[in-house]
Amino acid sequence: MRYSFLVDTYETERLKVLSVWSMFRDEDLPVRPHPADRRGRSVREQMVHQCMSENAWCCNMLGIDVGAPPLPVEETRRGFVARYAEDSAKRLGVLKSKADDAWWEEEAAFFDVRRSRAWVMVRRIAHTSHHRGQQMAMLRMLGRELHSNYGPTADTGGLAANGARVVYPYPDEHSLLAGGPKAPLPGPGEKATSERP
């Protein structure tokens, strides 16, 4: 299938969302980028947006309704992780069943225009990645350590060019959902964590 790369990408992107959410603490949820500026979403509001937005896009643009409320009953970190894990796994199952290129190439409503489902899926993945980057910046502002998401971080050894490793907080989705201690981080090491030391 020509568009299997989109399904594969969604599969890894949903895990990246869960991984970033696992790095927060419950007391982080009300925190905003600037405490006196309500324009910046709180950590909780970012999680709400991810759940609501992905649900709306999938239902209204891709025709994928998992038949579940998009938000958890209890808006805790673990509640958001569990809700998103369950719903995105169901969406992934539906996407895996769409092996016909024609389904991906068929146009669907994208707000006030029409685009192919493949185009909509690329935009969904980009939208999710954008907000995940905002959340990772929030983790840094909170003074939290960052495990890998796309590659090494300052906490996993710095730059890949200097031999830094990729260290995910959990080895797999099951371990992430179970919680428990995350993988230990080696720290930044002796070399600069930026290309501009």
Side-chain angles (χ1 to χ4, degrees):
M1 196 262 291
R2 182 181 307 156
Y3 300 100
S4 61
F5 73 95
L6 290 174
V7 179
D8 294 344
T9 302
Y10 179 77
E11 185 169 17
T12 59
E13 291 297 299
R14 64 177 287 277
L15 294 175
K16 291 179 185 308
V17 169
L18 295 169
S19 180
V20 168
W21 290 5
S22 79
M23 292 184 238
F24 285 105
R25 302 174 187 163
D26 278 324
E27 61 264 26
D28 299 334
L29 297 186
V31 175
R32 296 180 182 282
H34 188 286
D37 188 348
R38 296 194 56 82
R39 293 175 300 173
R41 286 187 180 127
S42 70
V43 174
R44 175 184 288 108
E45 289 167 341
Q46 287 283 20
M47 291 177 177
V48 166
H49 179 70
Q50 177 66 35
C51 292
M52 297 291 291
S53 174
E54 188 169 312
N55 182 69
W57 281 46
C58 287
C59 288
N60 301 329
M61 299 176 201
L62 299 175
I64 300 172
D65 186 347
V66 298
L71 298 177
V73 174
E74 292 186 29
E75 292 189 0
T76 61
R77 182 190 62 88
R78 289 195 58 79
F80 280 110
V81 166
R83 176 83 272 148
Y84 183 73
E86 182 178 332
D87 291 353
S88 62
K90 289 178 182 175
R91 290 183 195 113
L92 177 61
V94 173
L95 290 169
K96 285 182 175 182
S97 75
K98 304 297 184 185
D100 180 8
D101 288 345
W103 183 86
W104 289 93
E105 293 167 2
E106 185 179 329
E107 287 192 347
F110 180 76
F111 300 104
D112 58 346
V113 296
R114 295 191 66 78
R115 296 285 188 261
S116 73
R117 286 191 182 104
W119 189 94
V120 170
M121 193 65 189
V122 168
R123 290 299 285 253
R124 178 68 245 168
I125 291 166
H127 186 94
T128 296
S129 180
H130 158 68
H131 289 306
R132 191 170 58 251
Q134 291 175 310
Q135 291 173 316
M136 291 179 77
M138 285 293 294
L139 283 162
R140 270 293 176 237
M141 285 187 265
L142 289 162
R144 303 285 184 264
E145 294 177 325
L146 288 180
H147 285 75
S148 297
N149 201 259
Y150 279 109
T153 71
D155 297 310
T156 70
L159 295 172
N162 295 332
R165 298 182 302 125
V166 170
V167 181
Y168 295 113
Y170 296 99
D172 53 45
E173 184 176 352
H174 176 76
S175 301
L176 188 152
L177 294 174
K182 296 173 182 65
L185 291 167
E190 309 243 340
K191 297 185 178 178
T193 60
S194 168
E195 286 81 0
R196 293 238 167 124

